Amino acid sequence: GAGVSQSPSNKVTEKGKDVELRCDPISGHTALYWYRQSLGQGLEFLIYFQGNSAPDKSGLPSDRFSAERTGGSVSTLTIQRTQQEDSAVYLCASSAGGFGGYTFGSGTRLTVV
Amino acid sequence: SQQGEEDPQALSIQEGENATMNCSYKTSINNLQWYRQNSGRGLVHLILIRSNEREKHSGRLRVTLDTSKKSSSLLITASRAADTASYFCATDGHSGNTPLVFGKGTRLSVIA
């Protein structure tokens, strides 16, 4: 596609429920990144996929968080048993890899009530 | 961990004035990038400066990089109300296979 697409744009969920966030990167971009941003804060790195290599999961805050990237394209970030502190904007970005700039999606605003 | 730290945290100026934002980082880099974010949503890539460059221009943007001081600055000249946004610097690891590390950003308000 022309840009990075994320869905849903907003999600309200009850504490304890599981949620899935989707990211559709730019076609041909080999690298895909997930970040989250709490209100008024900077971006916190979560996970990074590069081609067929094993993902860099070093930023995932707990084992309730997981992500996969199918066919080197679409990625899903799953948060199990959501907690209120998971409330944030989850941002996905893709790049052609190497040292270039990232293209970000518009994010998913997750609110856990 | 956040390597880039922007300064100031918030900046308010009148339309037409110049805005300068600074970024400091801790470890060696391959390049440094600046991004803009409107309304807490997706970030937009503004400019990339490589570690062997000292200054770069793009329209009303001017970026400098001082690798000896591990610092960069973003200057927006002749600011407009539409420049109101948060601005983030981001640094890469030296290998190119590490994700960008973003600072906490500078919130710029341009008053018409």
Side-chain angles (χ1 to χ4, degrees), chain B residues 41-53:
Chain B
R41 287 300 198 154
L43 280 71
V44 174
H45 180 257
L46 294 177
I47 197 166
L48 179 154
I49 185 165
R50 303 191 189 286
S51 60
N52 61 354
E53 297 176 310

Side-chain angles (χ1 to χ4, degrees), chain B residues 24-35:
Chain B
S24 60
Y25 58 93
K26 297 175 184 174
T27 63
S28 63
I29 60 171
N30 199 282
N31 69 54
L32 184 144
Q33 304 178 31
W34 285 90
Y35 288 78

Side-chain angles (χ1 to χ4, degrees), chain B residues 35-99:
Chain B
Y35 288 78
R36 183 182 71 202
Q37 183 181 41
N38 291 85
S39 307
R41 287 300 198 154
L43 280 71
V44 174
H45 180 257
L46 294 177
I47 197 166
L48 179 154
I49 185 165
R50 303 191 189 286
S51 60
N52 61 354
E53 297 176 310
R54 292 296 166 259
E55 187 170 315
K56 201 163 184 179
H57 297 253
S58 177
R60 292 184 297 112
L61 304 181
R62 173 178 168 250
V63 169
T64 63
L65 179 64
D66 187 335
T67 53
S68 67
K69 295 182 180 178
K70 292 187 170 56
S71 67
S72 173
S73 67
L74 171 67
L75 168 68
I76 304 175
T77 60
S79 64
R80 306 166 181 167
D83 295 329
T84 295
S86 292
Y87 292 82
F88 295 85
C89 68
T91 52
D92 63 353
H94 208 67
S95 72
N97 284 322
T98 56

Side-chain angles (χ1 to χ4, degrees), chain A residues 5 14 28 63 83:
Chain A
S5 178
E14 293 181 350
D63 58 8
Q83 304 295 312

Side-chain angles (χ1 to χ4, degrees), chain A residues 5-98:
Chain A
S5 178
Q6 290 189 248
S7 61
S9 57
N10 290 283
K11 176 73 176 178
V12 179
T13 190
E14 293 181 350
K15 178 181 173 181
K17 300 282 190 182
D18 298 352
V19 294
E20 284 189 353
L21 312 180
R22 176 188 168 103
C23 173
D24 201 341
I26 289 176
S27 178
H29 275 190
T30 58
L32 186 148
Y33 314 83
W34 284 98
Y35 290 82
R36 74 174 176 182
Q37 185 179 32
S38 301
L39 188 63
Q41 299 297 309
L43 276 69
E44 176 189 1
F45 165 70
L46 297 177
I47 188 168
Y48 158 46
F49 297 88
Q50 171 61 59
N52 295 321
S53 302
D56 176 355
K57 304 180 181 179
S58 60
L60 295 178
S62 77
D63 58 8
R64 296 186 296 104
F65 288 72
S66 64
E68 62 178 22
R69 187 179 186 192
T70 54
S73 182
V74 172
S75 177
T76 302
L77 177 69
T78 301
I79 309 174
Q80 296 178 310
R81 305 181 301 281
T82 52
Q83 304 295 312
Q84 288 186 327
E85 60 263 29
D86 299 334
S87 295
V89 175
Y90 288 81
L91 293 162
C92 174
S94 70
S95 78

